[in-house]
């Protein structure tokens, strides 16, 4: 029998507010253990929570961006369960009356536009962290640390509308892009700023009723989600094909070993004894709050990417790469507007992003060293064919470390751009004919002699040639002779 997978995602988004969800402690990482704590986030008796309005403003931004219905009066609830990293023994979250419902996320999956329906987005607080077991002498101990306890989270839950692991990956990539563009979260899965649980079931193709689902917890990378969901679909298919039934359960996925383990058979909502949080008032959202959130919305990433395609004639692939972050898209536009937009895209997508990755520079660092007008002046010279390819690459490399205009850099490094490949080829041929020894050495595998040959050509050109061009021509000619 042919089966189809049905997947629903529950995503937790850590908001980058200055303070926690219900107290004034700073949300700040790398502090000593339990530094950022107070009676509220430590759950001490008698401490009273207060809602962080910035977190609510961020939630509204996300809800509006996704076209959700926003509830004017939503309610916080206590979700009761015991775990040592949660000192109150309940988590403050929202239950039957969440802040946002419905809405959709538009996603491009393998070149095709899709729209995925959402169930809800609600506000809640994060738990602390436990580290265990650790060894101290001959004792085994667990450590608890509450710096993260009470950090604002949004939980976004999709309808069971995803069908493949690739769709899950595309969904999360798009969600990450969105929260970054909205400025509400850094969305880094490796750092736990975006976390995802995946609910998976199978059903015979053509059947509309949903099958029994399992839930894979705490997937912490997009690749991990793809692999974990793939593994669980395979496992369920094998079970069903062998005639077994799927048992509803919560699973853990070990991405390093591609292994699924059953954590517990699934609890249901009544196990949590949800009830309205008595210490917090109803969360009221006014029209003015909504207007303010709407005014804070940037151009949404998918709208901007579509505009990159229509306005600058970029391929959708380029638009998606450049639209990856607001900073990158802004930088691109500042370089492209009124110039050769595709050339700007090529240089930024390949060279700028390569420097950023090689050096581990955030884009801001690059943009500080090479602000858009400087990059633009460089691109204009490339577009005007004033810089041969290898020289352009060389100038680009200098720009990353040195100050000055393109002309100043060329002068500083004693390069006068005259020698086009056509001018230099006769000199190259001459040098090769005059140096049979080094040529033979090169062809025998001692490729370092190309330095000597380059020097000889440079000398013949009176120092006017561009070494990179010379070296490339030499390599071409030598390859021809080899
Ligand atoms: P629960 O009460 O078990 O947490 P919810 O109805 O809250 O279930 O849904 C949680 C997530 O599981 C949602 O993303 C939803 O789309 C998804 N989901 C629900 N039923 C199924 C199913 N049969 N197969 C796959 N995903 C499902
Ligand atoms: Mg759930
Ligand atoms: Zn606190």
């Amino acid at each position: 029998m042919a089966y189809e997978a049905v997947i629903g995602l529950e995503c937790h988004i850590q908001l980058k507010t200055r303070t926690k969800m219900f107290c004034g402690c700073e949300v700040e990482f790398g502090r000593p253990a339990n530094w950022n704590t107070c009676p509220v986030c430590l759950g001490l008796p008698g401490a009273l929570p207060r809602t962080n309005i910035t977190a609510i403003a961020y939630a509204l931004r996300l809800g509006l961006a996704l076209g959700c219905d926003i509830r004017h009066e939503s309610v916080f609830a206590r979700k009761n369960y015991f775990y040592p990293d949660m000192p109150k023994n309940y988590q403050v979250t929202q239950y039957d009356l969440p802040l946002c419902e419905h809405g959709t996320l538009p996603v491009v999956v393998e070149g095709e536009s899709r729209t995925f329906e959402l169930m809800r987005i609600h506000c809640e607080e994060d738990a602390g962290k436990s580290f265990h077991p650790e060894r101290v002498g001959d004792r085994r101990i667990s450590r608890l640390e509450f710096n993260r306890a009470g950090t604002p989270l949004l939980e976004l839950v999709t309808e069971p509308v995803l069908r493949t692991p690739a769709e899950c990956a595309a969904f999360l990539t798009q969600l990450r892009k969105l929260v970054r563009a909205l400025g509400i979260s850094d969305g880094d899965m490796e750092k736990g700023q975006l976390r995802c649980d995946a609910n998976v079931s199978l059903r015979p193709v053509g059947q509309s009723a949903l099958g029994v689902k399992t839930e894979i917890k705490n997937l912490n990378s997009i690749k991990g989600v793809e692999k974990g969901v793939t593994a669980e679909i395979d496992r369920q298919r094998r079970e069903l094909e062998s005639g077994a039934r799927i048992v509803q359960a919560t699973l853990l996925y070990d991405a390093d070993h591609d292994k699924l383990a059953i954590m517990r058979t699934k609890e249901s909502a009544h196990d949590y004894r949800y009830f309205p949080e008595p210490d917090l008032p109803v969360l009221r959202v006014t029209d003015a709050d909504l207007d303010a959130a709407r005014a804070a919305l940037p151009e949404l990433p998918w709208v901007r990417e579509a505009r990159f395609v229509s306005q600058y004639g970029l391929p959708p692939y380029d638009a998606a790469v450049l639209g990856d972050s607001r900073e990158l898209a802004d930088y691109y536009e500042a370089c492209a507007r009124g110039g050769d937009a595709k050339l700007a895209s090529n240089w930024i997508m390949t060279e700028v992003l390569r420097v950023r990755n090689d050096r581990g520079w955030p884009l801001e660092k690059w943009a500080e060293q090479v602000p858009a007008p400087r990059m633009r002046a460089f691109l204009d010279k490339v577009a005007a064919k004033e810089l041969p390819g290898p020289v352009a690459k060389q100038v680009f490399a200098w720009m990353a470390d040195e100050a000055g205009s393109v002309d100043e850099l060329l002068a500083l490094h004693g390069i006068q751009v005259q020698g086009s490949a056509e001018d230099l080829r006769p000199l190259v041929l001459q040098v090769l004919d005059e140096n049979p020894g080094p040529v033979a050495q090169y062809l025998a595998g001692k490729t370092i002699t190309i330095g000597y040959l380059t020097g000889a050509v440079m000398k013949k050109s009176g120092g006017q040639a561009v070494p990179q061009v010379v070296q490339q021509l030499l390599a071409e000619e030598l390859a021809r002779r080899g």
Side-chain angles (χ1 to χ4, degrees):
M1 191 185 295
Y3 292 99
E4 143 182 271
V6 175
I7 307 154
L9 299 178
E10 297 172 78
C11 307
H12 286 95
I13 302 155
Q14 190 177 76
L15 296 178
K16 55 174 184 183
T17 50
R18 192 178 59 80
T19 56
K20 292 186 179 180
M21 188 68 213
F22 299 113
C23 63
C25 291
E26 295 198 347
V27 177
E28 206 181 3
F29 297 91
R31 284 298 203 162
N34 300 313
W35 182 279
N36 298 333
T37 55
C38 73
V40 174
C41 55
L42 288 176
L44 299 186
L48 288 174
R50 250 180 88 184
T51 307
N52 180 337
I53 55 167
T54 307
I56 303 305
Y58 285 0
L60 293 178
R61 236 185 257 178
L62 183 64
L64 289 171
L66 295 168
C68 298
D69 299 326
I70 312 275
R71 185 169 267 111
H72 283 268
E73 297 195 348
S74 70
V75 173
F76 286 106
R78 290 188 182 182
K79 180 180 182 179
N80 295 279
Y81 62 98
F82 173 75
Y83 201 75
D85 66 12
M86 204 180 52
K88 291 192 294 239
N89 292 339
Y90 58 81
Q91 177 192 27
V92 180
T93 177
Q94 297 191 298
Y95 182 50
D96 52 346
L97 298 169
L99 183 61
C100 309
E101 278 178 307
H102 314 305
T104 56
L105 180 71
V107 177
V108 176
V109 189
E110 286 154 1
E112 208 180 303
S113 293
R114 299 282 316 274
T115 297
F116 294 113
E117 287 81 19
L118 311 178
M119 277 164 105
R120 56 191 277 151
I121 305 172
H122 66 251
C123 309
E124 59 183 34
E125 58 177 342
D126 208 344
K129 282 185 183 171
S130 43
F131 301 86
H132 56 100
E134 293 184 344
R135 243 171 222 294
V136 176
D138 56 358
R139 287 188 309 145
R140 276 149 59 87
I141 60 157
S142 290
R143 277 190 307 121
L144 293 169
E145 103 101 286
F146 297 109
N147 284 350
R148 195 182 67 177
T151 298
L153 296 179
L154 297 182
E155 178 171 337
L156 175 152
V157 185
T158 75
E159 292 286 351
V161 285
L162 297 114
R163 295 288 176 268
T164 63
E167 287 185 356
C168 297
F171 182 95
L172 286 165
T173 306
Q174 183 75 310
L175 180 62
R176 183 176 63 187
K177 205 182 257 192
L178 177 63
V179 299
R180 288 178 179 170
L182 296 176
I184 65 173
S185 172
D186 290 329
D188 196 332
M189 285 193 83
E190 279 70 15
K191 292 191 185 142
Q193 294 157 344
L194 180 60
R195 282 168 256 164
C196 177
D197 306 335
N199 297 268
V200 180
S201 67
L202 257 54
R203 65 182 172 192
V205 171
Q207 175 185 307
S208 59
L210 296 174
V212 175
K213 75 174 165 82
T214 57
E215 178 173 359
I216 317 170
K217 278 280 179 203
N218 281 333
L219 296 160
N220 57 11
S221 70
I222 291 180
K223 263 260 114 22
V225 173
E226 251 186 308
K227 286 171 62 185
V229 170
T230 303
E232 177 55 7
I233 291 173
D234 290 348
R235 187 190 71 86
Q236 289 191 16
R237 179 174 293 121
R238 281 195 305 272
E239 295 275 319
L240 291 170
E241 281 171 352
S242 75
R245 287 194 321 170
I246 304 300
V247 180
Q248 185 168 328
T250 303
L251 310 173
L252 284 179
Y253 178 66
D254 174 354
D256 293 336
H257 303 94
D258 193 24
K259 279 229 153 57
L260 287 160
I262 292 190
M263 186 159 93
R264 54 177 182 258
T265 46
K266 178 74 181 168
E267 67 288 317
S268 52
H270 63 253
D271 293 334
Y272 290 125
R273 293 167 291 122
Y274 280 102
F275 65 88
E277 163 63 66
D279 290 340
L280 284 166
V282 165
L283 176 60
R284 289 207 165 74
V285 174
T286 64
D287 289 334
D289 295 331
L290 287 173
D291 288 343
R294 219 170 268 123
L297 288 183
E299 184 179 23
L300 298 178
W302 47 89
V303 175
R304 191 168 203 191
E305 283 166 36
R307 185 169 61 73
F308 279 10
V309 172
S310 61
Q311 182 176 345
Y312 300 115
L314 292 187
Y317 175 81
D318 290 32
V321 172
L322 296 169
D324 185 51
S325 72
R326 190 153 102 188
E327 292 74 21
L328 184 61
D330 287 346
Y331 186 77
Y332 168 70
E333 284 215 271
C335 294
R337 214 175 277 124
D340 184 335
K342 177 60 182 152
L343 182 78
S345 162
N346 290 347
W347 276 86
I348 293 173
M349 281 191 356
T350 54
E351 300 304 320
V352 174
L353 294 186
R354 189 178 49 70
V355 170
R356 191 186 65 173
N357 294 342
D358 288 356
R359 301 190 179 200
W361 281 9
L363 187 76
E364 300 84 78
K365 177 91 170 46
W366 169 264
E368 206 173 280
Q369 173 65 20
V370 185
R374 188 176 185 216
M375 184 70 187
R376 175 58 190 275
F378 165 77
L379 289 167
D380 285 346
K381 277 197 180 293
V382 177
K385 307 229 174 342
E386 288 175 36
L387 299 174
V391 184
K393 285 225 163 127
Q394 180 61 71
V395 171
F396 178 85
W398 288 327
M399 288 202 302
D401 296 305
E402 298 170 36
S405 68
V406 173
D407 290 337
E408 283 163 353
L409 285 169
L410 288 169
L412 188 71
H413 290 272
I415 287 188
Q416 227 172 339
V417 184
Q418 292 177 335
S420 71
E422 291 334 296
D423 300 333
L424 290 169
R425 200 177 296 275
L427 299 185
V428 165
L429 294 175
Q430 214 178 324
V431 164
L432 291 178
D433 290 341
E434 287 167 10
N435 292 281
V439 168
Q441 284 180 350
Y442 178 91
L443 295 177
K446 200 172 164 206
T447 52
I448 195 149
T449 45
I450 201 164
Y452 170 80
L453 296 168
T454 305
V457 178
M458 290 300 293
K459 206 156 156 201
K460 265 200 199 308
S461 76
Q464 304 298 294
V466 180
Q468 288 71 23
V469 179
V470 172
Q471 210 166 68
Q472 193 179 319
L473 285 169
L474 277 168
E476 280 170 26
E477 277 307 319
L478 285 163
R480 206 162 288 150
R481 294 178 186 208

